[in-house]
Amino acid sequence: MDEFELIDQIFHRPEGLSSQVAIGIGDDGAVINVTAGKQAVVVMDTLVADVHFLESQSASSIGHRALAVNLSDIAAMGAVPRWATLSLTLSEVNENWLNGFADGFFELAGRHEVALIGGDTTAGPLAACVTVGGEVETEGVLRRAGAQPGDFVYLSGRIGGAAAALSSAEGYADPVLHRALCWPQPRTELGSALGGIANSAVDVSDGLLADLGHVLNASGGLGADLEADSLPLFESAVALLGRRPALELALGGGDDYELCFTTPKNRHQEVLETGHRLGQELFRIGQITERGGCRILGSELDLDAVSAGYQHAWPRSKA
Amino acid sequence: MDEFELIDQIFHRPEGLSSQVAIGIGDDGAVINVTAGKQAVVVMDTLVADVHFLESQSASSIGHRALAVNLSDIAAMGAVPRWATLSLTLSEVNENWLNGFADGFFELAGRHEVALIGGDTTAGPLAACVTVGGEVETEGVLRRAGAQPGDFVYLSGRIGGAAAALSSAEGYADPVLHRALCWPQPRTELGSALGGIANSAVDVSDGLLADLGHVLNASGGLGADLEADSLPLFESAVALLGRRPALELALGGGDDYELCFTTPKNRHQEVLETGHRLGQELFRIGQITERGGCRILGSELDLDAVSAGYQHAWPRSKA
């Protein structure tokens, strides 16, 4: 068996294919049945060794992450994920590593009913590129544009944990922070449930200030007043680093993959009920303002410094 | 303007978007209108520097190739391409190089009415990963499986040119061979026209013996008798290398991206007319046999040696 047969064998899992997949891996392309009346959503994200993950990380957490960051984008669009393609570039063929990667990838894919339908493997510096396709009803699409002054701003979970794990060896060793960094949980159920409730949504991959900033810009140059005391920090991060640094990491650090979304005030109850129904803790963190720019009420942080300081924190800190 | 704004500016070309694209670049994902009654086809291929292209190659030919190899897979499925996503991993941000890459990519995309709807850019060793989506009617899907004993075997163009360009400096300098290697032309019009006519199809990326072998295996272990004199070689390759080496490269070398397809004998006239209508030269090269394995009638080549000798010829020869 040559190396490419080995790889085919590891990634060819027909049992994971839904009835939506007419032709999966093994031809020149995959063929998918589309659902009448829905739109297709497509996202793509690449992870490069020593830039988006550490080669020392467990292979299964890399496989998990490669899919998770894409599912998070699907969630931020309000869609339900259906299929994925995976392009793996490998500097060497290590069967143990490949099995670990596949375990992490397929465990998450199975939980979200996502079928791996194709891709390729090439020789070269270690990297994984994933494309995910999903479906959404037109009225359920969540855009970055759409926030309105007066809207409440929500987060789907705690933030700053991944950045805290990257900030020190103690952070990386803390099990809760390590999990936030290496095993991010995409909020796809919540994302698709928010269609018709939320005005706008984004996933927090680059940091809350940066990603909420995309929403504010796309919504016509609005602003947001966030309450420092309402920002959901990781207790471990506060215990390890102190409150102010933990708050800075929550605002400027990325990689948490929580959803940040806005809704009109009068839908607050509906938001809470949606969270309850899904068993998903939700945090109201502030309000959209007509005046542009973000303010963090109850803190004296220099937000420009916070944003600038953590841009590309993950790549540069370990590369 | 930071480097990522630069890249966004280069690749964000809303004028190229069709009415099928509801949301293109700039949100967490793209949203596409699907056509009722059609199936979606998805393909993905990655090009890594020094493995699938030379860094010394023109940037526009790399951009062209990154899309072309994917369009070729779409053609081999009988589909019409609609959209593409592009993930570019860049070791440095060179505006000239990026503009060249984008020119090559968008020139081909424009000719095939393919919209770039998303993707990402990351720092790391130079590579381009492209996913292309297309549409096809169920009865127009071309699979590798489906060839029958007695079928005629066709090629959509000359083969062995790309391998001849890689075989020597003279080959690389020859304008016709250089074009075959660096500017492959995906046969998407032909592919979608063959739906309902061809029994099976594959694109010749790994070499005729290897790719036709996929068809023969997928079709239940059939064979093929090809006529050496009917194989369409490049005149420049024959002149440069001699007939027998040119024939070996045509059989074992890859990267020509012509379609190889089979049809029942009684559809020969229809195949010719399809080629005429599209201005696409077609070559009948042999016939499917019940007995397994390929034979090249009128030659004394050792086919196992030919196949083995050229496996991964492009990566290894220059890496």
Side-chain angles (χ1 to χ4, degrees):
Chain A
M1 177 159 61
D2 80 7
E3 61 194 55
F4 292 100
E5 288 166 349
L6 168 72
I7 294 166
D8 280 349
Q9 188 179 301
I10 291 173
F11 287 99
H12 192 174
R13 301 195 185 181
E15 71 278 10
L17 299 184
S18 67
S19 60
Q20 206 176 11
V21 180
I23 301 178
I25 291 172
D27 214 300
D28 293 292
V31 179
I32 302 152
N33 300 317
V34 298
T35 309
K38 297 213 177 177
Q39 290 181 300
V41 174
V42 179
V43 304
M44 180 185 223
D45 247 323
T46 296
L47 270 58
V48 178
D50 294 327
V51 179
H52 305 93
F53 60 86
L54 312 177
E55 284 208 52
S56 60
Q57 233 174 284
S58 77
S60 57
S61 73
I62 300 170
H64 171 96
R65 186 186 184 81
L67 181 59
V69 300
N70 282 284
L71 294 183
S72 181
D73 281 326
I74 288 281
M77 296 302 292
V80 175
R82 296 294 191 199
W83 55 261
T85 56
L86 165 66
S87 170
L88 255 188
T89 304
L90 298 167
S91 51
E92 55 166 357
V93 175
N94 173 328
E95 191 170 347
N96 276 342
W97 191 92
L98 279 167
N99 276 315
F101 182 96
D103 284 347
F105 188 96
F106 283 111
E107 191 279 328
L108 186 64
R111 252 192 300 138
H112 292 267
E113 298 181 54
V114 170
L116 181 68
I117 59 168
D120 68 350
T121 50
T122 54
L126 182 60
C129 178
V130 174
T131 301
V132 173
E135 290 189 322
V136 65
E137 284 172 28
T138 305
E139 53 274 24
V141 174
L142 300 178
R143 301 204 59 164
R144 292 178 176 179
Q148 298 283 342
D151 281 359
F152 284 155
V153 183
Y154 298 85
L155 274 174
S156 64
R158 298 174 189 278
I159 57 173
L166 275 174
S167 70
S168 69
E170 291 81 2
Y172 194 75
D174 179 277
V176 175
L177 301 179
H178 188 275
R179 186 178 157 81
L181 175 66
C182 293
W183 298 92
Q185 299 300 318
R187 306 305 187 189
T188 56
E189 279 199 309
L190 177 65
S192 61
L194 287 174
I197 301 176
N199 281 349
S200 76
V202 72
D203 70 324
V204 182
S205 54
D206 295 332
L208 181 62
L209 288 180
D211 291 310
L212 178 56
H214 295 319
V215 167
L216 300 176
N217 286 338
S219 301
L222 300 175
D225 283 348
L226 307 183
E227 290 151 47
D229 288 344
S230 301
L231 286 170
L233 308 181
F234 280 81
E235 285 174 24
S236 323
V238 174
L240 188 71
L241 306 165
R243 185 167 163 72
R244 188 179 166 127
L247 183 60
E248 288 178 354
L249 289 175
L251 293 168
D255 294 300
D256 289 304
Y257 296 99
E258 295 297 347
L259 294 185
C260 176
F261 59 95
T262 63
T263 68
K265 275 185 195 180
N266 62 12
R267 309 198 78 160
H268 179 60
Q269 198 54 38
E270 221 174 323
V271 170
L272 292 186
E273 282 162 12
T274 303
H276 273 300
R277 182 162 53 82
L278 301 176
Q280 176 70 56
E281 202 177 12
L282 297 177
F283 300 90
R284 190 177 83 194
I285 61 171
Q287 202 160 342
I288 299 295
T289 60
E290 200 148 349
R291 173 198 45 73
C294 261
R295 292 192 302 189
I296 311 297
L297 309 180
S299 84
E300 289 167 2
L301 297 173
D302 175 349
L303 294 191
D304 289 341
V306 168
S307 294
Y310 291 99
Q311 214 168 8
H312 309 302
W314 160 265
R316 304 284 145 92
S317 65
K318 297 277 173 176
Chain B
M1 177 158 64
D2 80 6
E3 62 194 54
F4 292 99
E5 287 166 350
L6 168 73
I7 294 165
D8 280 349
Q9 188 179 299
I10 290 173
F11 287 99
H12 192 174
R13 301 195 184 181
E15 72 278 10
L17 298 185
S18 66
S19 61
Q20 207 176 12
V21 180
I23 302 177
I25 291 173
D27 214 302
D28 292 293
V31 179
I32 301 152
N33 300 317
V34 299
T35 309
K38 297 211 176 177
Q39 289 181 302
V41 175
V42 179
V43 303
M44 181 186 222
D45 246 324
T46 296
L47 271 58
V48 178
D50 295 327
V51 179
H52 305 93
F53 60 87
L54 312 176
E55 284 209 50
S56 61
Q57 231 174 286
S58 77
S60 57
S61 73
I62 300 169
H64 171 96
R65 186 186 184 79
L67 181 58
V69 300
N70 282 284
L71 294 182
S72 181
D73 281 327
I74 288 280
M77 296 303 292
V80 175
R82 296 293 190 199
W83 55 262
T85 56
L86 165 66
S87 170
L88 255 187
T89 304
L90 298 168
S91 50
E92 55 166 357
V93 175
N94 173 329
E95 191 171 347
N96 276 341
W97 190 93
L98 280 167
N99 276 316
F101 182 96
D103 284 348
F105 188 95
F106 282 112
E107 192 279 326
L108 186 65
R111 254 192 299 137
H112 292 268
E113 299 180 50
V114 171
L116 181 68
I117 59 167
D120 69 350
T121 48
T122 54
L126 182 60
C129 178
V130 174
T131 301
V132 174
E135 290 189 322
V136 66
E137 284 172 28
T138 304
E139 54 274 24
V141 174
L142 300 178
R143 301 205 57 164
R144 293 178 177 179
Q148 298 282 344
D151 282 358
F152 284 155
V153 183
Y154 299 85
L155 273 174
S156 64
R158 298 175 188 277
I159 57 173
L166 275 174
S167 72
S168 68
E170 290 81 2
Y172 195 74
D174 179 277
V176 174
L177 302 178
H178 188 275
R179 187 177 157 80
L181 176 66
C182 293
W183 299 92
Q185 299 300 319
R187 306 304 187 190
T188 55
E189 278 198 311
L190 177 64
S192 60
L194 288 174
I197 301 177
N199 280 348
S200 75
V202 71
D203 70 324
V204 182
S205 53
D206 294 334
L208 181 62
L209 289 179
D211 291 311
L212 179 56
H214 295 320
V215 167
L216 299 175
N217 286 339
S219 300
L222 300 177
D225 282 347
L226 307 182
E227 291 151 46
D229 289 343
S230 301
L231 286 169
L233 308 181
F234 281 80
E235 285 175 24
S236 325
V238 175
L240 188 71
L241 305 166
R243 184 166 164 73
R244 187 181 166 125
L247 183 60
E248 289 178 352
L249 289 176
L251 294 167
D255 294 301
D256 289 303
Y257 297 100
E258 296 296 348
L259 294 184
C260 176
F261 60 95
T262 63
T263 68
K265 276 185 195 182
N266 62 11
R267 308 199 77 160
H268 179 59
Q269 198 53 38
E270 221 175 323
V271 170
L272 293 184
E273 282 161 13
T274 303
H276 274 298
R277 181 162 55 81
L278 301 177
Q280 176 71 55
E281 203 176 13
L282 297 177
F283 301 90
R284 190 178 81 193
I285 61 171
Q287 203 160 343
I288 299 294
T289 61
E290 200 148 350
R291 174 198 43 73
C294 261
R295 292 192 303 188
I296 312 296
L297 310 180
S299 84
E300 289 167 5
L301 298 172
D302 176 347
L303 295 190
D304 288 341
V306 168
S307 293
Y310 291 98
Q311 214 168 8
H312 309 303
W314 161 264
R316 303 287 145 91
S317 64
K318 298 277 171 175

